[in-house]
Amino acid sequence: MASAQGTVGRESELASISAFLDAAGDRATALLIEGEAGIGKSWLWREAVRAAEDRGYRVLTCQPTESEAAIGFGGLIDLLDSWADEIPADLPEPQRWALEAALMRRSSDAAVGHGAVAVALLAVLRQLARAAPTLIAIDDSHWLDVPSREALAFALRRLTSEPITVIVTRRRDRLADVLLEHLLVTRLAVPPMSLGATYQLVHARLGVTLARPVLMRVYETSGGNPLFSLELARALVDRGRVGDVGHLPVPQRLGDLIRSRLEDLPEGTRQVLLLTAAMAAPSVQELQQALGRPVERHLARAELAGVIDSSDGTVRFSHPLMAATVYDAATAAERRMVHRELADAVRDPEERARHLALTSPEPDEALAAALDDASARAASRGATDVAATFAQRALEFTPAGDLEASFRRATAAGAYAMAAGDRARARTLFERALVDAPAGPGRAEALRWLAELSTPLGQGIALCDRALQDAGTDAAVASRIHRTRGAISYFLGDVPAAEHHAGLGVELAERSGDDQVLGMALAELAHWTYCGGGGLRRDLFERAISLDGSAGASSPRSHLAKVVMDNDGHDEARALLTLLLDDTMETGDLHSASTHQFHLAELDLWAGEWTAAIEHAQKSLQLRQHLDQPRAPLYVEAMARACLGDLDHARTLAEAGLAEARRAEDVVFRMQNLHVLGFAELSLGNHEAAQSLLGEATDLMRPRWNREFGDCHVVPDEIEVLVALGELARAEDLAEWMDAVARATQRAWTTATGARCRALVQAARNDLDEADATLERALAAHERLRMPLELGRTLLTRGVVQRRMRRRGVARETLEEALALFEDRGATLWAERARSEIARLGVRSAAQLDLTPVEQRIAQLVAQGCTNREIAASLSLSRKTVEANLSRSYRKLDVRSRAELVARLSVRRGPASAPSAAGP
């Protein structure tokens, strides 16, 4: 602690803070100062802020209190208040508007998504950090309001390489702070003060010298807690018992000590203190206006007692425990009365609503209307969680019998809760809305919202059917209900039902005259039509996008991107998804951004870019956690890790995803996670375990989703397992299914993998010539498909068939090409399988020590004038692998350049030196 003579008893902690600030470099780091109440965390925090300022840090500070926890973006206002004028000029307009609205620097009629504020904050912090090392310092972070906490958590998760330093104080009994989850955290536990430091502290603060026996009693009772020690010593001084060794004339608990001191103050002073505790750092003038009489005398008494500090015109408690004790000491009736008085005195609608929300909710339409207004204002600033709270309190103030108002306020609160990502709260509010809801389109919409929130999904079907009865002649509402029912049917695995309801949705949307409703309906019809085997309906998508060009997760553009990627148009889909992701991140639509990240992760998975797939999946999951969304990206990360051979981690993720899918009755997500678990067993050669999992997934898919495989790639894996187990009847049945779908859709994936599966069955029946010919057709289809793992597996299968045909030379070339693909992508288990097959061929003869098939193909493309980038794209290899193969070819052929390589190849093309195309 500090005195006029300097620091007392915290030299070690201050040295740790100095070392932390000096070591902070070009990446985000955090210092967590934690300890019990009254131990001196806030003092150390202030010293850390001062030390940072001395070192040239740009410092953003916030000291929230309990009374400020309900003020939407109150913490953000404090942090950015002095820097708000430095908001980057190039900040996208939606983000600038959102941030200015959140900081109360502009008003808006339209609601601002809280995600837009978070994205804008990220951009601002990056801009500030580029100009100077920046410190974000938050004292008592547990009192930070929810919107500020969510925005900061979003930003800090992404500020990993900027010179951003965070210092947070927290009581030891509080839960871990989500603000620090993804940062490199240094912990500073604040210990009790020593006996000598306690003596110096009491002498410096109170001007008294305690005899050693009295000091020992104070120290032992306080446990070295500085605030507790000061309160004990102050009580002794006040009662004139500084030399009384035998008795401490005060309670021993810190809260009791503070209450004892407050009880010694006059009643009028305690009233002023209660008013102060109920407000958010009021000025002396604001206190006087609220009370309606002068307060200077009462403030002077409280300041003399060490309870408050008003030296700068703002009244603050000397310690947060003081404010909490003052507020807790009042009766519930006294607190409600104070908040009612403040509600009548303050002018800001949101501030008034905060006080109204803490009064007794007696029916009062005027107060309910005031809360409605404040709810809309909070939503317009992006504080949707606060808006939901105000709307919910407005519902509680609504007079009994006013069913229309009750329904309107409950649905408004539910919609705000949905926007804030609080699905459980939204579900409760929509259920409340439906209790006394009048029949009609309004109730139909509430039922539809509840259907979208249903877990398990099957409950949503019944809710949609109820909603359709209420929709009546409102075509737009009925169209939305059919769309919701169609989407639920899809995730339940019933594609024909999804198509049917999407079609009804389009018919109703045509009658509604609402372009956006029609655009969404057309897009979903096109999507479910594709899943039903109807192909890519670009005509429907083009019309849908002309009506609604938005970038949301359910927009026509998003549906198009998903269908294109499932139809093997990976390059086109990646371009579409990248644009959609940029658009939604710019506007702060985090739910939609998470969906686009998820689909990009799927594309990376199929392209064999498994590290990138994991990164995209984790980013998507972060956004979904922020929004309380299901964890669908788990399966992509799990499959990517399985492909890389990290099977334990893959199983853990897939099992968690499978458990969630079973709870939700989500058939699509269930199939995907079963596929991961089955693929892991297949990779290890555990065929019986693999069949149990893969067979369950196929059986879920086939009865209701059997004319297009889309992104469900499980069937080829099951066929491979069935052949290994000798269960050829089911394997052939599934292969015929794949053949039929391939003929109908002409998709590259279905054609390539279906042909491989057919060849596996043919080879198992010893029809090796037919199997080899079928695999030749599979490889031709692979030329239209950028999925290197699938290509490698087809090459591996053909190499085995060729070995069985005793074409050992050709088999070696094919297997080595498969091995190169597996090694290039890091598919360790599949690479080991390829090596095992190569080993079965025996040692290469001297005549075979020549260019490998991969090296030959690369050399031929070099001779055709292709660049390394073009070669990599053509062969589904990385540029690094192309360069490595070229280097080996140079050594083998004793050449030093591409030109020499081409010249040497032209010489080697003669009949005598041409490599053999057939084995011995």
Side-chain angles (χ1 to χ4, degrees):
M1 314 309 287
S3 71
Q5 299 167 347
T7 301
V8 174
R10 291 302 186 202
E11 293 81 2
S12 174
E13 288 76 18
L14 290 174
S16 296
I17 290 171
S18 293
F20 169 78
L21 291 172
D22 290 338
D26 294 333
R27 59 166 299 179
T29 55
L31 175 66
L32 173 60
I33 303 174
E34 57 183 348
E36 65 183 30
I39 202 69
K41 303 183 298 298
S42 295
W43 182 86
L44 286 169
W45 178 86
R46 288 190 291 271
E47 288 299 298
V49 168
R50 183 191 57 76
E53 289 172 338
D54 290 344
R55 286 167 170 77
Y57 278 79
R58 183 194 304 271
V59 177
L60 314 177
T61 62
C62 175
Q63 286 184 281
T65 62
E66 183 176 5
S67 62
E68 295 171 300
I71 299 176
F73 292 117
L76 211 57
I77 291 171
D78 286 345
L79 283 172
L80 295 181
D81 184 56
S82 58
W83 305 105
D85 292 334
E86 297 188 32
I87 293 175
D90 59 350
L91 196 66
E93 197 169 71
Q95 295 176 28
R96 173 180 290 279
W97 287 354
L99 190 59
E100 289 176 350
L103 300 180
M104 296 186 176
R105 288 174 167 253
R106 69 182 294 271
S107 60
S108 173
D109 294 331
V112 170
H114 68 300
V117 179
V119 173
L121 176 63
L122 173 62
V124 168
L125 291 178
R126 279 181 172 153
Q127 176 80 4
L128 294 177
R130 281 196 291 268
T134 299
L135 171 68
I136 299 172
I138 304 173
D139 190 22
D140 279 342
S141 64
H142 53 278
W143 292 128
L144 195 63
D145 63 278
V146 172
S148 293
R149 182 183 304 279
E150 290 182 346
L152 275 169
F154 175 88
L156 292 176
R157 277 197 292 266
R158 291 157 179 80
L159 290 168
T160 56
S161 59
E162 289 82 2
I164 291 280
T165 303
V166 181
I167 296 182
V168 167
T169 70
R170 184 181 73 203
R171 274 170 47 176
R172 191 169 290 155
D173 58 352
R174 298 288 177 174
L175 296 175
D177 201 321
V178 297
L179 295 176
L180 309 181
E181 279 184 351
H182 298 272
L183 299 178
L184 180 63
V185 179
T186 299
R187 295 179 179 271
L188 177 58
V190 185
M193 296 186 78
S194 66
L195 177 64
T198 301
Y199 168 81
Q200 294 178 55
L201 176 67
V202 171
H203 179 72
R205 290 290 184 87
L206 304 181
V208 297
T209 300
L210 297 181
R212 184 171 180 82
V214 178
L215 176 67
M216 286 297 298
R217 288 297 307 279
V218 168
Y219 183 71
E220 290 171 357
T221 301
S222 70
N225 183 300
L227 181 60
F228 202 168
S229 298
L230 282 172
E231 290 300 316
L232 286 168
R234 193 188 302 274
L236 288 171
V237 171
D238 290 346
R239 289 160 176 74
R241 295 182 177 181
V242 174
D244 189 344
V245 178
H247 178 66
L248 290 177
V250 290
Q252 294 189 355
R253 291 179 63 239
L254 181 55
D256 292 339
L257 281 171
I258 295 175
R259 276 188 288 274
S260 177
R261 192 195 319 178
L262 294 170
E263 288 169 0
D264 291 339
L265 295 172
E267 174 65 23
T269 302
R270 293 202 302 273
Q271 289 179 359
V272 172
L273 291 176
L274 177 57
L275 200 65
T276 304
M279 299 177 73
S283 67
V284 174
Q285 183 179 5
E286 288 171 335
L287 269 176
Q288 187 162 303
Q289 289 174 346
L291 195 62
R293 60 179 183 271
V295 297
E296 286 82 355
R297 178 166 52 91
H298 297 297
L299 294 178
R301 284 177 178 166
E303 199 153 2
L304 183 63
V307 177
I308 63 166
D309 177 13
S310 61
S311 57
D312 63 354
T314 299
V315 184
R316 295 183 177 87
F317 285 90
S318 57
H319 192 279
L321 282 175
M322 295 287 184
T325 303
V326 167
Y327 195 79
D328 291 343
T331 66
E334 288 173 333
R335 289 196 292 268
R336 288 196 295 268
M337 183 178 296
V338 164
H339 285 295
R340 175 70 72 173
E341 291 173 350
L342 288 171
D344 293 335
V346 299
R347 294 182 178 179
D348 181 76
E350 286 188 55
E351 179 72 4
R352 182 170 184 247
R354 184 175 71 84
H355 292 299
L356 283 175
L358 295 170
T359 63
S360 179
E362 298 174 359
D364 188 323
E365 177 57 30
L367 295 182
L371 284 160
D372 281 343
D373 179 59
S375 179
R377 288 174 63 92
S380 73
R381 298 195 300 112
T384 47
D385 181 85
V386 174
T389 298
F390 287 161
Q392 194 167 350
R393 291 296 281 175
L395 174 64
E396 294 167 6
F397 275 101
T398 302
D402 192 344
L403 301 184
E404 187 281 328
S406 294
F407 174 77
R408 172 170 48 82
R409 286 169 179 145
T411 53
Y416 289 137
M418 281 184 69
D422 192 342
R423 295 169 63 88
R425 184 182 188 185
R427 188 180 299 113
T428 299
L429 286 163
F430 285 128
E431 288 171 348
R432 167 67 181 82
L434 290 167
V435 171
D436 298 313
R443 187 168 71 178
E445 281 282 30
L447 285 164
R448 184 182 67 82
W449 282 327
L450 196 56
E452 290 188 354
L453 295 166
S454 292
T455 301
L457 288 172
Q459 294 177 358
I461 296 293
L463 288 167
C464 285
D465 290 343
R466 286 177 55 194
L468 285 170
Q469 295 175 9
D470 271 338
T473 59
D474 193 319
V477 171
S479 176
R480 284 192 287 268
I481 296 167
H482 278 293
R483 281 178 34 228
T484 297
R485 199 186 190 291
I488 293 173
S489 297
Y490 168 78
F491 285 104
L492 287 171
D494 193 346
V495 173
E499 280 190 85
H500 172 69
H501 285 283
L504 293 175
V506 170
E507 291 177 13
L508 288 161
E510 295 275 15
R511 297 206 303 264
S512 75
D514 188 321
D515 285 352
Q516 186 178 46
V517 169
L518 179 57
M520 300 280 274
L522 286 165
E524 292 195 5
L525 176 60
H527 195 158
W528 310 146
T529 296
Y530 171 79
C531 294
L536 174 51
R537 291 289 305 276
R538 288 192 182 270
D539 58 327
L540 291 178
F541 278 121
E542 287 171 3
R543 186 181 175 204
I545 293 170
S546 71
L547 294 168
D548 178 6
S550 62
S554 299
S555 69
R557 291 166 64 199
S558 180
H559 280 285
L560 172 62
K562 176 58 176 167
V563 169
V564 166
M565 66 180 277
D566 287 351
N567 199 47
D568 305 330
H570 297 175
D571 292 341
E572 180 186 355
R574 187 177 296 278
L576 288 169
L577 288 168
T578 301
L579 285 173
L580 290 168
L581 179 60
D582 290 345
D583 288 350
T584 49
M585 287 300 292
E586 181 175 302
T587 59
D589 183 357
L590 303 185
H591 164 66
S592 296
S594 73
T595 299
H596 303 325
Q597 287 271 20
F598 170 51
H599 293 323
L600 283 168
E602 288 184 300
L603 280 175
D604 289 331
L605 173 67
W606 301 340
E609 303 292 344
W610 297 317
T611 301
I614 291 169
E615 290 174 358
H616 271 127
Q618 290 177 343
K619 288 177 180 178
S620 176
L621 183 58
Q622 285 179 359
L623 291 170
R624 286 168 182 255
Q625 288 175 327
H626 182 70
L627 295 166
D628 186 25
Q629 292 289 316
R631 300 191 293 170
L634 281 177
Y635 109 83
V636 176
E637 180 177 353
M639 183 59 90
R641 293 190 181 280
C643 291
L644 289 166
D646 185 4
L647 298 189
D648 288 341
H649 198 167
R651 287 192 187 100
T652 298
L653 292 171
E655 285 166 358
L658 181 59
E660 182 178 303
R662 290 189 193 280
R663 284 194 300 271
E665 295 181 354
D666 187 327
V667 172
V668 175
F669 194 19
R670 184 175 163 192
M671 287 190 300
Q672 290 166 337
N673 284 283
L674 285 167
H675 183 195
V676 174
L677 294 169
F679 176 80
E681 300 302 330
L682 168 61
S683 300
L684 291 172
N686 298 333
H687 296 129
E688 290 185 0
Q691 169 54 21
S692 173
L693 296 157
L694 299 172
E696 180 182 349
T698 298
D699 289 344
L700 284 170
M701 178 182 184
R702 191 173 186 183
R704 294 161 292 184
W705 190 358
N706 55 17
R707 292 177 291 173
E708 172 57 68
F709 294 100
D711 61 358
C712 188
H713 297 163
V714 65
V715 178
D717 289 353
E718 189 191 357
I719 293 173
E720 182 169 336
V721 168
L722 289 167
V723 170
L725 292 172
E727 298 181 19
L728 298 186
R730 178 174 168 93
E732 186 151 25
D733 176 51
L734 294 180
E736 288 175 357
W737 173 30
M738 289 202 72
D739 287 345
V741 174
R743 286 192 299 271
T745 64
Q746 297 298 306
R747 267 189 65 195
W749 178 85
T750 314
T751 302
T753 59
R756 181 177 76 224
C757 292
R758 170 62 64 187
L760 283 168
V761 174
Q762 291 168 336
R765 298 189 186 281
N766 287 318
D767 194 350
L768 299 180
D769 288 333
E770 282 297 322
D772 190 51
T774 302
L775 287 165
E776 182 69 26
R777 292 195 296 274
L779 290 173
H782 274 292
E783 294 179 1
R784 298 185 286 126
L785 185 68
R786 299 294 177 84
M787 297 179 73
L789 180 62
E790 296 287 15
L791 173 58
R793 290 174 63 180
T794 299
L795 288 168
L796 176 61
T797 301
R798 193 180 195 194
V800 172
V801 169
Q802 289 169 336
R803 174 182 59 76
R804 291 179 59 192
M805 296 172 71
R806 300 185 182 279
R807 301 177 62 194
R808 296 176 63 237
V810 175
R812 182 182 297 278
E813 292 177 356
T814 305
L815 292 170
E816 286 180 347
E817 189 172 354
L819 176 61
L821 277 169
F822 295 144
E823 289 181 332
D824 178 55
R825 300 297 167 174
T828 55
L829 295 175
W830 290 90
E832 184 57 36
R833 183 178 295 190
R835 290 191 198 95
S836 176
E837 291 295 337
I838 292 171
R840 296 180 67 178
L841 294 169
V843 180
R844 292 177 68 119
S845 66
Q848 291 174 308
L849 293 176
D850 211 330
L851 297 186
T852 67
V854 174
E855 290 166 353
Q856 290 178 28
R857 289 195 181 191
I858 291 173
Q860 290 165 1
L861 290 170
V862 167
Q864 295 171 19
C866 295
T867 65
N868 287 0
R869 181 189 298 274
E870 292 168 340
I871 295 170
S874 175
L875 300 182
S876 297
L877 298 172
S878 68
R879 290 181 65 184
K880 184 176 179 181
T881 297
V882 171
E883 292 163 0
N885 276 277
L886 274 175
S887 296
R888 287 195 296 270
S889 298
Y890 287 175
R891 289 194 300 272
K892 289 180 179 181
L893 300 177
D894 192 24
V895 299
R896 296 183 179 182
S897 68
R898 298 170 81 92
E900 289 184 18
L901 175 63
V902 172
R904 180 62 59 87
L905 286 174
S906 66
V907 172
R908 289 165 55 87
R909 287 196 185 105
S913 58
S916 174

